[in-house]
Amino acid sequence: MSATRETANLDPAAFTRWCEDQVYTPAIRRGTEILERVCDLHLLELHRELGIALMLATPRTAREVADQLGFEPSAHIALEALLTRLAERTGVVSVEQSPPAHFQARAAVPDGTAELTALRSAMVELGPGFVVALECVEFGRAHFVTALRDDPGMMDRVLSGADAEHYPLWVQATNADPMQDLHGRMGARAIAELFPGGTILEIGGGTGNGIRHLFDVLQARGTLDRIERYIFTDVSPRFILGTRRAVREAYPSVTCDWKYLDINKSFSTQGIEPESIDLIYGVNAAHVAKDMVGMLRDCGAALRPGGRVVFAERVRGRSSEMAARELTLNLSRYHRTAAQRHPAHRVAHGYLSPRCWLSGLEQAGFRDAAIFPDLEAIQRVFPEQYAAVVTGVRGCGR
Ligand SMILES: C[S@@+](CC[C@H](N)C(=O)[O-])C[C@H]1O[C@@H](n2cnc3c(N)ncnc32)[C@H](O)[C@@H]1O
């Protein structure tokens, strides 16, 4: 990077205050509360529709329940998440953490139809886009059996853009829902403060939440010209083409490359030269990697000395925590099974905890690993918080 550029800096306290005041607005907090309850109600309905209470008359594991339902081999991961969430948040099921965890029915499932209707109306009133979060979990409930029994590849086709019919649903789910959109807002603000200039590589850029927010924020600050070159990547040709069309229209002057890049393969064999990148960005994309430390090492190799990764990510407060949108994401075989588990840096499938992120970055040789905002401070005012920016600087030991 050029020595003449001003030093980038991010004030952690100011970032935390901004998240408290501008990101987690009253509407976002209320929307999150509604979404969590709606997810519980859908899980309860699934529990009833599938006859799980009868199966749990005596203690059973999620794998036993999945087998009895005729589900595909990895479906027990989705069922374990469902039953654990019901055990933690409703009185319908109890859990004995043996291991493996054994679940037992405790109470009848109340009828949630009227409450679901009332919550949907309340969500609509919060403003444009909020109801998209409900549509996302409704999709999961409607396709639960199909995806876990009849057509196990279905959800992976939706998430990778291979399913043309549901492409608009996924574009909406990643861009129109303000509770999801805030990941891109957080990532963009962090980069605006941490990035002095140069080349950015975005991984898993998909339907464009990351690039859209970043360009908007840099433009508003008059610093869009800090981007000398932007390399937007994903594994989905449909996503790449859709995002390219939208970005070229909105930002014709920014130099962008549009590339296929699989983060489960070596970056250098896919045209990303070693030490050629100043910042690697991802919005809810880095957690997709199968081998987290291996992927981070690849990022390190692609970065110039002093370069950094910035990942805007949903984070798990506890490893057993199931996010509401995982009612749908857990229907993806990849989401359930891809992560190579490790007790320090990959405890659960899908999303990582902040501790796992810091451990993974350290393992991969990054320095100054940090998480923004201050999650403990946010926890005190908004316990349901779920978003963070994870960053680290390429170490010199390579
Ligand atoms: C949760 S989406 C996030 C998309 C986008 N960053 C956003 O926030 O709207 C994850 C993205 O990772 C992409 N992806 C899945 N597997 C991948 C892989 N092996 N390498 C790179 N990207 C991948 C998907 O196509 C998808 O666009």
Side-chain angles (χ1 to χ4, degrees), residues 376-391:
E376 280 177 23
I378 302 266
Q379 180 75 17
R380 289 193 282 275
V381 293
F382 181 42
E384 295 81 15
Q385 59 152 333
Y386 51 86
V389 175
V390 178
T391 182

Side-chain angles (χ1 to χ4, degrees), residues 159-161 170-171 173-175 180 183-184 202-211 232-236 239 260-265 270 282-290 312 325 329 334 351:
L159 297 184
S160 65
W170 192 236
V171 172
T174 46
N175 289 280
Q180 187 65 17
H183 293 287
E202 181 174 356
I203 57 168
T207 50
N209 181 289
I211 191 170
F232 179 95
T233 69
D234 201 277
V235 286
S236 161
F239 290 167
Y260 179 98
L261 180 79
D262 182 346
I263 60 173
N264 291 326
K265 296 185 178 149
Q270 299 177 85
V283 178
N284 280 318
H287 73 261
V288 167
K290 292 182 178 175
R325 70 197 274 112
L329 296 180
Y334 186 94
Y351 307 120

